[in-house]
Amino acid sequence: MELSDRLEKLSARYGEHVGFERDGDWFLLKLQEEIGELTQAYLQVTGRSRAKGKSAEELRDAFQLEFADAFCQLLLLARHFDIDVPREIERKWLSHE
């Protein structure tokens, strides 16, 4: 099973459990939420926000987990809109090599 299939299964189960429809708006807004959390973790790990009693290791771990959240949500958004990620990366970035 591909990563996006596994993520979709988990996300769908979450939507059912909480009781909301995962439409295009939700996927984009959820990504925005996750980017906000990633930004907060980044500010903490780089010493530009209060550490709230967390060690450097805990801050680094939180940053890595928030990165995973944002990345997975981005993949779910791409899946929802049927975006072929490798093809679009090739078109937008790698075509300039």
Side-chain angles (χ1 to χ4, degrees):
M1 183 183 290
E2 288 190 22
L3 177 60
S4 68
D5 294 333
R6 294 170 64 194
L7 296 173
E8 173 60 25
K9 187 175 180 180
L10 289 168
S11 179
R13 189 169 61 206
Y14 172 73
E16 289 171 7
H17 175 73
V18 177
F20 62 84
E21 180 183 347
R22 298 171 317 122
D23 61 6
D25 288 349
W26 181 83
F27 282 103
L28 184 59
L29 293 170
K30 186 66 174 171
L31 174 61
Q32 184 63 45
E33 175 189 343
E34 296 301 344
I35 293 296
E37 292 172 2
L38 176 61
T39 302
Q40 178 62 42
Y42 173 78
L43 291 172
Q44 288 178 315
V45 81
T46 59
R48 294 181 231 173
S49 183
R50 293 178 293 124
K52 298 179 181 177
K54 295 180 182 175
S55 69
E57 184 178 312
E58 289 171 320
L59 293 173
R60 176 74 180 166
D61 185 57
F63 175 69
Q64 292 173 171
L65 290 173
E66 293 302 339
F67 177 88
D69 279 348
F71 183 74
C72 290
Q73 197 60 41
L74 185 61
L75 290 176
L76 286 166
L77 177 69
R79 180 186 175 99
H80 180 77
F81 286 103
D82 197 28
I83 296 171
D84 182 337
V85 174
R87 182 175 62 102
E88 298 309 326
I89 290 171
E90 181 68 38
R91 284 184 349 123
K92 181 68 177 179
W93 285 79
L94 302 180
S95 64
H96 301 286
E97 284 184 310

